[in-house]
Amino acid sequence: MNKQFLLGVVALVLAGCGKPVPIESVESLVADPERLKELRAQCKTNHAKVGDAQCNAVAEATRQRFMGGGTPYTPAQAPAPEASAAQDKAP
């Protein structure tokens, strides 16, 4: 009985030790829009099977394809209060 139990435990442990699936990089997904589209659909339908790391890479690749290199947002600088006060006093 103990040998069968031990053998069952060993079998379960070995079954859980499968090779992890390699994660496709963000750069490779940006370069291959068809694969990106396929993985986006898989993440949407079965996120648990695809995995958090791969779905995060898919989201980042989607963002990069949409936004591009882009320039960061820099709001316009408001004039200094002293400068606007001097303009109001000008004749």
Side-chain angles (χ1 to χ4, degrees), residues 29-30 36 40 58-70:
L29 292 172
V30 168
L36 178 60
R40 282 183 66 198
V58 167
E60 178 61 22
T62 302
R63 186 196 68 76
Q64 284 185 14
R65 284 189 54 81
F66 180 74
M67 299 296 287

Side-chain angles (χ1 to χ4, degrees), residues 27-88:
E27 293 79 19
S28 69
L29 292 172
V30 168
D32 188 359
E34 288 300 316
R35 180 66 179 148
L36 178 60
K37 184 177 179 181
E38 179 183 322
L39 280 174
R40 282 183 66 198
Q42 289 178 12
C43 285
K44 192 172 188 176
T45 59
N46 197 353
H47 186 94
K49 182 180 177 188
V50 178
D52 284 337
Q54 183 64 69
C55 288
N56 288 341
V58 167
E60 178 61 22
T62 302
R63 186 196 68 76
Q64 284 185 14
R65 284 189 54 81
F66 180 74
M67 299 296 287
T71 55
Y73 174 71
T74 53
Q77 296 290 328
E82 302 84 36
S84 62
Q87 288 177 353
D88 291 340

